[in-house]
Amino acid sequence: MKGLNTGYNAPSADALETSMSQVASALADPSRVTMLCALMDGRAWTATELAVLADIAASTASGHLARLLNSRLVICLSQGRHRYYRLAGQHVAGLLENLMGVSMHAAVPPATRTPAHLRYARTCYDHLAGELAVEMYAFMLQQGWLESDGSALTADGKHQFAQMGVLLNPAARRKSCCACLDWSERRFHLGGEAGSAMMTFFISKAWMTRVTGYREVQVTARGRQALKRIFNLPDA
């Protein structure tokens, strides 16, 4: 319609390619990747903590963090005299998880170097990952709780979540549900709003506890019994 102005200008192909190149470039340094992977635990870290973790000088870490900020991969939060860094959102966590899976892909899968305690159960930003998570995802897929591509809960899946007591946010701005590639198992676990809501539920019921400062998740005795009953997991 002549004269119509929607207020939105779609990015040109050149602009999109340039933006993609900038993000790829920001991910091209091992120290920056180390810091981003540390932030996958969902917490906010100081520049000093990230410098120690990456084994680099504080001044070098500041330069790397500035690069990550400019690429919109992290955000900076100020609290008093302190500045904290965290991932810019779940979309960045999903990107990192997918890159981990792609990076470890090979014709003959190599033996995993992931520590056993992290391989079994850990967080992937705000949802559950590891052996336990992929087994749960396989069960939900087999039982018809999920669409075949993992893009949404089925009507039965929504009913089962409601029966458990998992509260879903219908107004969430993120994907309601998605298949997230698990970098240690190279199989899918549940991501998106449904994955986050389920993890929140497990913590609230004391079925799982987080290990402070780490991505590791521990399953309680009560949780093992509940997961065995709900997801048919003999070794939960």
Side-chain angles (χ1 to χ4, degrees):
M1 181 181 297
K2 184 177 180 179
L4 178 64
N5 184 356
T6 64
Y8 171 75
N9 294 316
S12 67
D14 288 344
L16 182 59
E17 290 168 358
T18 298
S19 179
M20 290 174 64
S21 297
Q22 290 174 344
V23 171
S25 179
L27 293 169
D29 184 273
S31 295
R32 289 196 289 270
V33 170
T34 297
M35 291 191 285
L36 287 171
C37 288
L39 295 175
M40 283 283 285
D41 67 359
R43 297 185 305 142
W45 293 57
T46 66
T48 300
E49 290 171 333
L50 291 170
V52 171
L53 182 73
D55 195 23
I56 55 178
S59 58
T60 303
S62 295
H64 284 318
L65 287 168
R67 181 72 174 274
L68 295 174
L69 279 167
N70 289 336
S71 299
R72 299 182 181 180
L73 294 172
V74 302
I75 58 175
C76 182
L77 308 171
S78 296
Q79 186 171 332
R81 295 181 299 171
H82 301 286
R83 301 180 72 193
Y84 297 88
Y85 297 86
R86 65 185 307 165
L87 294 184
Q90 193 276 336
H91 61 291
V92 178
L95 170 64
L96 294 172
E97 188 83 0
N98 286 335
L99 284 174
M100 290 173 185
V102 171
S103 300
M104 297 178 71
H105 179 75
V108 179
T112 181
R113 296 181 180 179
T114 307
H117 64 285
L118 282 178
R119 183 170 181 178
Y120 178 66
R122 64 179 184 277
T123 55
C124 172
Y125 195 58
D126 62 356
H127 55 270
L128 185 67
E131 290 177 349
L132 179 58
V134 299
E135 291 300 327
M136 290 166 57
Y137 182 88
F139 173 84
M140 289 187 283
L141 195 62
Q142 182 182 42
Q143 295 298 310
W145 295 15
L146 303 171
E147 297 292 347
S148 60
D149 61 356
S151 62
L153 291 173
T154 62
D156 187 44
K158 292 178 182 178
H159 173 73
Q160 295 295 339
F161 268 51
Q163 287 288 96
M164 270 193 289
V166 178
L167 300 178
L168 299 172
N169 179 8
R173 299 179 62 182
R174 65 195 293 186
K175 290 182 179 180
S176 61
C177 186
C178 68
C180 187
L181 184 63
D182 195 285
W183 58 265
S184 67
E185 303 309 303
R186 291 169 219 153
R187 296 163 61 195
F188 292 117
H189 60 245
L190 184 65
E193 169 61 20
S196 176
M198 191 164 66
M199 183 67 183
T200 298
F201 173 75
F202 290 159
I203 296 296
S204 71
K205 297 292 286 185
W207 292 359
M208 296 181 183
T209 59
R210 297 178 185 270
V211 177
T212 304
Y214 298 92
R215 295 180 62 190
E216 181 183 354
V217 171
Q218 293 182 340
V219 183
T220 64
R222 180 180 178 184
R224 284 193 292 272
Q225 293 178 353
L227 295 177
K228 178 179 180 179
R229 172 175 51 83
I230 296 171
F231 297 99
N232 193 30
L233 302 174
D235 298 318

